[in-house]
Amino acid sequence: MPSQAQPHHLALDAQALREAVEAHQRYLNGRSGGRRLSLTYADLSNCTLEGLDLREADFAGANFHGATLARANLTRGILFGADIREADLRRANLTKADLRGACLRGANLAGAELPGCDLREGRIALQDKLDGFRILRHEHRPGELNYAILSGANLSGAQMTGAVAMSSDFTDANLSGAQMAGAKLTRAVLDGADLTGADLAGADLSGASMKRAVLSGANLENAILDDVDMSDVLRAPPEVTYVDERPLDQVLADHESYCDSGGARGGVTPLNGVDFRPVKTLKGRRLTALVARDGVFFGLDLQGVQLQGADLSGADFRGCDLRDADLRGAKLSGASFTRSDLRGAKLGPLTIGDNRFVRTDFTRAVLRGADLRGAHAHRARFLEADMNGANLAGCDLTDAELEV
């Protein structure tokens, strides 16, 4: 008589789960009675584990289908072969998590931290007392990311060789240095994604959208790029940028001289559409009233830069270090500050006379995932600005114009 197959996911009641999580907290805090959480092959479907500290927990083969894990800390967690379909993992921390063979079809990982995680395909075998070893099979293939939402997620250095992520949303995701050779990314959305130094050799990107993606140093050898929208992609910067046959460094030095001397020396040159990346850093530079509409500042160190009253409409400040920068009265409409660090930045009004001031204008600017902790943005305009996932803790928004 043939043996009866046994279910591979083990039911767990709410009380047992709560006690296991509490014991794990004691384990993490080095307290007596602590025990590392090990819920391998457990049925955690539709469970709520939101915001919990689950570092180093072992969930190999577990079923998280439809579970809520938003803001959970799963650093170095073992999720090998786990079923995570349609789970809510928004802003979860999965740094260096083992996600080999996990099925993430339809999961929401918007804003999640996944640097160095392993998303390659893997299979897990279970030992059955009657049938011996058998492969744990998901309803969908292991290592699948189809339809997953990874917008704004940090996947820098992630291992995704051969991953299947068709129709997945990687909008504004950080995929710098990610290993994606041979990945199936057909119809994926990679708009604004940072693919600096990523390995996409042999990847299938047919029908994908890569508008404004950063491809500096990316390896696209033998990649399938049929019908890919690559409009406005940012490629490697030139070695030197020239403006009116003068090196950009000299133009900026003249601008600083003009500012320092009150117009007696130097001069001001419009720098619209200029790529500033070759200068490497603008830290502490004095560039008051700079005109650089649609300028490219991507990834630059702009810490403490003086850009009071500057016209930087439509400029690309993605990933820039703008800590303590002075942007009072600057025109920043339509500019992109995705993942920029604006901690302590001066974004308030610029006084130009008695009872006269010019407000900083972020109208239609993109500040997704930007860090504005401790910034001074009183009276600033944020009309139609995209501030999804921005950190506004301690940011002074007194009398600021915000969308309600």
Side-chain angles (χ1 to χ4, degrees):
M1 179 176 170
S3 61
Q4 185 73 26
Q6 300 297 312
H8 57 253
H9 285 122
L10 309 175
L12 194 70
D13 62 49
Q15 178 64 24
L17 176 59
R18 184 164 51 251
E19 290 176 355
V21 170
E22 289 173 353
H24 187 66
Q25 302 311 304
R26 291 194 292 272
Y27 161 79
L28 292 174
N29 295 324
R31 293 162 52 198
S32 61
R35 185 174 63 257
R36 182 188 177 196
L37 187 62
S38 180
L39 294 175
T40 55
Y41 319 118
D43 184 0
L44 297 165
S45 57
N46 301 304
C47 279
T48 298
L49 299 166
E50 186 172 356
L52 294 181
D53 189 348
L54 302 170
R55 287 171 292 160
E56 303 175 18
D58 187 353
F59 293 111
N63 177 14
F64 285 103
H65 189 179
T68 300
L69 291 146
R71 298 187 303 282
N73 189 348
L74 290 152
T75 300
R76 295 184 299 279
I78 300 173
L79 293 145
F80 188 103
D83 183 349
I84 315 176
R85 286 175 294 146
E86 299 174 13
D88 182 357
L89 286 149
R90 287 173 297 170
R91 306 191 75 78
N93 189 345
L94 289 145
T95 302
K96 295 185 178 179
D98 186 352
L99 285 154
R100 286 174 298 163
C103 184
L104 288 151
R105 183 186 179 92
N108 190 344
L109 292 129
E113 288 289 326
L114 296 124
C117 73
D118 199 334
L119 287 154
R120 290 173 294 179
E121 182 175 340
R123 295 185 182 274
I124 192 165
L126 299 176
Q127 187 172 18
D128 189 288
K129 290 181 179 178
L130 299 176
D131 296 332
F133 285 97
R134 59 190 174 84
I135 300 296
L136 187 158
R137 299 189 185 279
H138 296 305
E139 183 178 328
H140 297 278
R141 63 174 292 170
E144 184 187 318
L145 281 160
N146 292 344
Y147 306 104
I149 301 170
L150 293 128
S151 55
N154 181 5
L155 290 147
S156 58
Q159 298 294 323
M160 299 175 66
T161 303
V164 180
M166 295 184 287
S167 299
S168 293
D169 185 357
F170 292 94
T171 302
D172 290 325
N174 180 2
L175 288 155
S176 58
Q179 302 301 305
M180 305 170 76
K184 291 180 174 57
L185 295 157
T186 56
R187 300 182 305 282
V189 179
L190 292 143
D191 295 343
D194 183 0
L195 291 155
T196 303
D199 185 3
L200 289 151
D204 186 353
L205 288 149
S206 53
S209 180
M210 300 181 75
K211 292 179 290 188
R212 305 180 307 282
V214 183
L215 298 176
S216 179
N219 180 11
L220 290 162
E221 186 177 356
N222 297 322
I224 301 173
L225 301 170
D226 299 338
D227 300 317
V228 175
D229 187 346
M230 302 181 77
S231 55
D232 299 319
V233 296
L234 195 60
R235 300 187 184 275
E239 290 187 13
V240 182
T241 295
Y242 289 91
V243 179
D244 295 337
E245 300 184 353
R246 291 190 299 155
L248 180 57
D249 272 335
Q250 182 181 333
V251 175
L252 293 175
D254 285 348
H255 189 106
E256 282 188 307
S257 180
Y258 184 87
C259 292
D260 293 342
S261 66
R265 298 187 305 277
V268 174
T269 302
L271 298 173
N272 297 323
V274 167
D275 191 337
F276 289 80
R277 290 179 293 166
V279 302
K280 307 299 183 186
T281 178
L282 291 170
K283 182 177 181 178
R285 300 291 292 268
R286 301 173 302 284
L287 302 171
T288 302
L290 182 75
V291 177
R293 292 187 293 274
D294 300 314
V296 178
F297 297 87
F298 179 88
L300 283 181
D301 182 357
L302 293 157
Q303 189 177 164
V305 70
Q306 296 181 34
L307 288 163
Q308 309 95 317
D311 186 352
L312 302 161
S313 305
D316 185 352
F317 288 100
R318 289 177 292 171
C320 285
D321 184 351
L322 284 153
R323 285 176 293 168
D324 301 314
D326 192 342
L327 289 158
R328 288 174 297 158
K331 295 179 182 178
L332 301 163
S333 57
S336 179
F337 291 88
T338 301
R339 296 187 303 276
S340 287
D341 190 345
L342 287 150
R343 285 177 291 170
K346 298 174 182 176
L347 310 173
L350 176 66
T351 301
I352 57 174
D354 292 339
N355 296 317
R356 298 178 64 204
F357 56 84
V358 178
R359 289 180 293 171
T360 306
D361 189 359
F362 284 97
T363 299
R364 293 184 300 281
V366 179
L367 293 126
R368 286 194 291 266
D371 191 346
L372 289 121
R373 286 177 291 172
H376 308 278
H378 53 290
R379 295 187 181 274
R381 306 191 77 190
F382 291 97
L383 299 178
E384 299 181 58
D386 185 348
M387 302 178 75
N388 186 39
N391 192 338
L392 300 170
C395 179
D396 182 2
L397 292 165
T398 306
D399 296 325
E401 288 187 74
L402 298 163
E403 294 287 322
V404 179

